[in-house]
Amino acid sequence: MAQAGLGRATGPCWLNYPAENPCFYGNSACLVVVGRMSHLTLPLTDDPALLKALIAALQAENAKISATLRAHDQLIQTLRLRIAKLKKQVFGQSSEKIEREIEQLELALEDLLIASAESEAAVPDGALEAASFEPAEETADRPSRRRPRVSDNTPRERRELDPGTCCPDCGGDLRVVGEDVSEMLDLIAAQMKVVQIARLKKSCRRCERMVQVPAPSRPIPGSMVGAGLLAHILVSKFDDHLPLYRQQEIFARMGADIPDSTLVDWCGRAMKVLAPLIERIEADVMASDLLHADDTPIRVLDRASRDKGLGKGVKKGRIWAYIRDQRPWAGIAPPGAVYAFAPDWKEEHVHRHLAKTRGILQADGYKGYAKLYDPDPDGTPRLRAAACWAHLRRDFHDEWDKTKSAIAREALDRIGALYDIEREITGRPADIRLAARQKHSAPKVAAFFAWSESQLALIPGKGDLAKAFRYGLSRKDAFSLFLSDGRVAIDNNPAERALRPIGIGRKNWLFAGADTGAETLARAMTIIETAKMNGLDPQAYLADILARINDHKINRLGDLLPWNWSPLPTSLPEAA
């Protein structure tokens, strides 16, 4: 009795096959029948039935092997992606190296799943049944295919399939006893439309007076662009990071040939219309007594340098983000974001941005902030510094990633314990957060800094690990501020999250056209990101605002701020 395993035929055909799955193998000289218990070499005949059975068996087995290989590939990519996300969760929310790795793995896994779905769709039903084998432990690790979640507010179109009124068998009358309902998600493609505004002229039969309704105001006076189209252009460019020349191609496919210069003019004039509202957002957010701040580089086209032959005509500017977000401690002030462009990294820019701000500034260790923390003549500091534990954690993670240092690993574990406490109190009022931190976090922070000082005396002073310890000890008061104020966050992640759209945009537009272009980008992101933070659809919000702002009373401009806004019934179709 042959042992279950790989069967091999001798002679003219050498074929391996899993003995657990009986099948036929053959060539011009022989036919191999492989089973669980035995295998046999037979002469190959011209019997069509036997040949069809051979082809069907080979197709089924090939589909099964292909499905198993795809499942293995998906499992590998899924596990790699899971490991990368766990690293991000444990070692730092904004590690650029891990972020890039996650993006690459997500793209690879997405391509693999699409290819798998495509191949499965092309396999005959019988082959799919034969290929349905998958180990149980792999099934649990494969990404689940959940049904799409669709909002209850999404329009639904009912299509009834009525079998008629007469029975197809006996001709009797049919009565309704129930129905089977299934849903299919579809998309109404974007479509251009021309809105014709016809103002009828009428004359009085008695006095011959001419009567006509005044022309309604337009988002951009003298322009033919409507509020809905203008909002779509702004959101596509500044939130979806779709350059205007690509939008022009899309509009052309819809039947509207809009020149690049016209799109540029519309964007610029729309931002001028929105300027008073953006200024109100900036004034309101920057007056907060607790702000998150961070910055990121942005490449800016420098035409002066290019004309002079200096470098490639591109310089490095900075985009600053200032965030108010009281949701983690149940504050009453609405969330908001302010973006500001600076042509360089000089401290004078942040001093100008924060000239009227008083209270607490949560930021990294940028030296330009130092003077803002100096006390005023009365001895009271205008701003108090709150440091970011996630930033310190990333320094230790980078060292652990390079050297697998046990000291760096312990530092990560100690900081991780603080985050465990924070997860339990997120969203709770400030007084509850403060009490929990005083009880649980304060002893751990004190122990961490005492341990840091002892370790610093034992390691080389010029290494990156020592540099991380010195950074934490030099800002000990800033790292400890969250222990005495329940409003202060443990890290600066709100500001770092606010800058992620800039990183996404860089992949599409590489650099801003000029300093003025980068300033426009910052103002547009201020109103769009603030709308998103307040749970609004930025396109619907901007469409409504642009449709009514020119007729809105200036002393009631606050009604149009994202946290106060409610759409007018007449502007809802335009916003959609």
Side-chain angles (χ1 to χ4, degrees):
M1 182 179 296
Q3 184 179 1
L6 294 178
R8 170 167 294 181
T10 59
C13 55
W14 292 79
L15 299 171
N16 293 336
Y17 194 77
E20 291 83 351
N21 299 281
C23 189
F24 300 94
Y25 276 96
N27 59 14
S28 59
C30 66
L31 173 67
V32 180
V33 182
V34 184
R36 177 178 296 275
M37 304 302 294
S38 63
H39 57 85
L40 178 64
T41 303
L42 298 175
L44 182 62
T45 67
D46 295 331
D47 185 355
L50 186 59
L51 293 175
K52 288 181 179 179
L54 169 65
I55 292 172
L58 290 175
Q59 287 179 335
E61 187 62 25
N62 182 61
K64 176 179 178 180
I65 295 173
S66 298
T68 302
L69 290 176
R70 287 194 302 269
H72 289 166
D73 289 341
Q74 292 172 13
L75 176 63
I76 292 171
Q77 291 286 11
T78 302
L79 292 177
R80 291 177 62 193
L81 179 60
R82 183 177 300 177
I83 290 171
K85 289 184 175 180
L86 287 173
K87 285 182 179 179
K88 175 185 175 183
Q89 180 179 349
V90 173
F91 298 133
Q93 295 292 329
S94 299
S95 173
E96 294 184 2
K97 180 179 178 181
I98 295 178
E99 290 282 356
R100 289 194 300 269
E101 181 182 0
I102 290 175
E103 291 174 359
Q104 292 169 358
L105 289 174
E106 285 177 337
L107 287 174
L109 181 59
E110 179 182 278
D111 293 340
L112 184 62
L113 292 174
I114 291 174
S116 176
E118 180 182 7
S119 61
E120 288 177 3
V123 175
D125 292 340
L128 273 178
E129 292 177 2
S132 62
F133 168 81
E134 187 176 328
E137 60 272 15
E138 294 180 7
T139 303
D141 287 327
R142 289 187 63 183
S144 60
R145 295 182 182 179
R146 65 168 180 83
R147 290 176 58 86
R149 298 189 183 97
V150 183
S151 170
D152 293 337
N153 298 326
T154 302
R156 280 168 168 77
E157 174 185 327
R158 180 179 172 90
R159 299 180 184 178
E160 291 189 355
L161 304 181
D162 192 339
T165 59
C166 297
C167 175
D169 290 339
C170 67
D173 294 337
L174 296 179
R175 66 179 185 276
V176 177
V177 295
E179 64 179 12
D180 295 326
V181 179
S182 61
E183 291 190 336
M184 180 172 59
L185 193 60
D186 205 352
L187 173 70
I188 301 175
Q191 183 180 14
M192 286 283 187
K193 70 176 181 179
V194 177
V195 179
Q196 291 184 339
I197 301 174
R199 298 187 296 129
L200 302 181
K201 297 180 180 180
K202 296 184 177 181
S203 65
C204 177
R205 294 182 183 272
R206 178 179 300 176
C207 65
E208 298 299 327
R209 178 184 174 183
M210 297 294 296
V211 181
Q212 187 179 33
V213 176
S217 62
R218 302 191 176 205
I220 299 176
S223 171
M224 68 178 298
V225 62
L229 175 58
L230 193 54
H232 175 81
I233 294 172
L234 293 176
V235 172
S236 296
K237 176 172 176 57
F238 297 114
D239 191 37
D240 300 331
H241 312 291
L242 193 64
L244 292 180
Y245 77 89
R246 294 184 187 173
Q247 295 191 51
Q248 182 194 29
E249 296 173 357
I250 295 172
F251 295 149
R253 293 198 298 268
M254 297 180 185
D257 182 10
I258 308 175
D260 284 345
S261 57
T262 301
L263 293 175
V264 170
D265 180 66
W266 286 353
C267 284
R269 295 174 68 182
M271 292 306 301
K272 186 174 182 180
V273 170
L274 295 171
L277 193 60
I278 296 172
E279 291 172 0
R280 287 289 298 271
I281 295 175
E282 293 173 346
D284 195 279
V285 172
M286 300 305 289
S288 304
D289 58 356
L290 196 160
L291 284 178
H292 295 266
D294 200 6
D295 68 288
T296 190
I298 178 175
R299 289 160 57 88
V300 181
L301 190 62
D302 187 358
R303 291 182 173 84
S305 299
R306 183 185 61 185
D307 296 340
K308 295 177 182 179
L310 300 177
K312 297 181 180 179
V314 176
K315 65 180 181 180
K316 183 182 289 187
R318 313 292 295 193
I319 290 283
W320 295 86
Y322 301 97
I323 308 300
R324 176 181 66 195
D325 191 355
Q326 299 183 1
R327 291 173 294 183
W329 50 275
I332 61 174
V338 172
Y339 295 83
F341 169 74
D344 49 52
W345 211 18
K346 295 180 180 178
E347 63 181 29
E348 62 192 50
H349 304 297
V350 295
H351 292 177
R352 183 180 70 256
H353 300 159
L354 299 167
K356 297 181 180 180
T357 304
R358 301 289 188 276
I360 296 173
L361 181 67
Q362 189 141 24
D364 58 21
Y366 170 55
K367 295 181 180 178
Y369 296 129
K371 293 181 180 179
L372 299 174
Y373 304 138
D374 292 341
D376 286 338
D378 61 357
T380 304
R382 185 161 61 89
L383 287 172
R384 290 188 295 161
C388 175
W389 280 89
H391 186 97
L392 180 61
R393 181 174 59 178
R394 284 194 295 272
D395 290 341
F396 287 112
H397 168 257
D398 292 341
E399 178 66 17
W400 181 83
D401 193 42
K402 290 185 299 182
T403 66
K404 300 299 184 234
S405 165
I407 298 176
R409 177 70 258 181
E410 183 175 351
L412 292 172
D413 292 340
R414 288 174 178 266
I415 297 175
L418 297 176
Y419 274 87
D420 292 338
I421 299 170
E422 289 299 310
R423 277 189 285 270
E424 298 296 326
I425 59 176
T426 298
R428 308 294 296 275
D431 56 343
I432 296 178
R433 285 158 59 93
L434 178 60
R437 288 169 173 175
Q438 288 289 330
K439 180 179 180 181
H440 302 291
S441 301
K444 296 182 184 296
V445 171
F448 174 82
F449 285 118
W451 173 78
S452 298
E453 291 177 350
S454 64
Q455 294 300 316
L456 191 58
L458 303 176
I459 61 177
K462 295 184 179 180
D464 291 336
L465 185 58
K467 182 178 179 181
F469 278 124
R470 283 196 296 268
Y471 174 75
L473 291 170
S474 66
R475 305 195 69 206
K476 180 178 178 180
D477 292 341
F479 279 107
S480 302
L481 185 60
F482 82 109
L483 300 174
S484 59
D485 192 328
R487 303 173 304 158
V488 179
I490 192 174
D491 55 38
N492 197 31
N493 286 347
E496 295 181 355
R497 285 194 298 268
L499 289 173
R500 287 179 184 171
I502 301 294
I504 297 173
R506 280 196 295 255
K507 299 177 182 179
N508 288 320
W509 33 259
L510 299 180
F511 50 78
D515 286 0
T516 53
E519 292 168 356
T520 301
L521 169 66
R523 290 196 298 271
M525 289 189 64
T526 294
I527 190 169
I528 290 174
E529 293 299 321
T530 299
K532 290 163 64 177
M533 291 179 72
N534 285 273
L536 304 180
D537 174 4
Q539 184 169 330
Y541 170 68
L542 288 178
D544 181 81
I545 294 300
L546 289 167
R548 59 199 269 203
I549 192 171
N550 286 327
D551 296 327
H552 198 78
K553 294 181 179 179
I554 191 65
N555 60 352
R556 298 192 60 185
L557 193 61
D559 295 344
L560 303 183
L561 292 170
W563 47 82
N564 295 330
W565 172 78
S566 59
L568 292 178
T570 56
S571 63
L572 282 176
E574 186 72 15

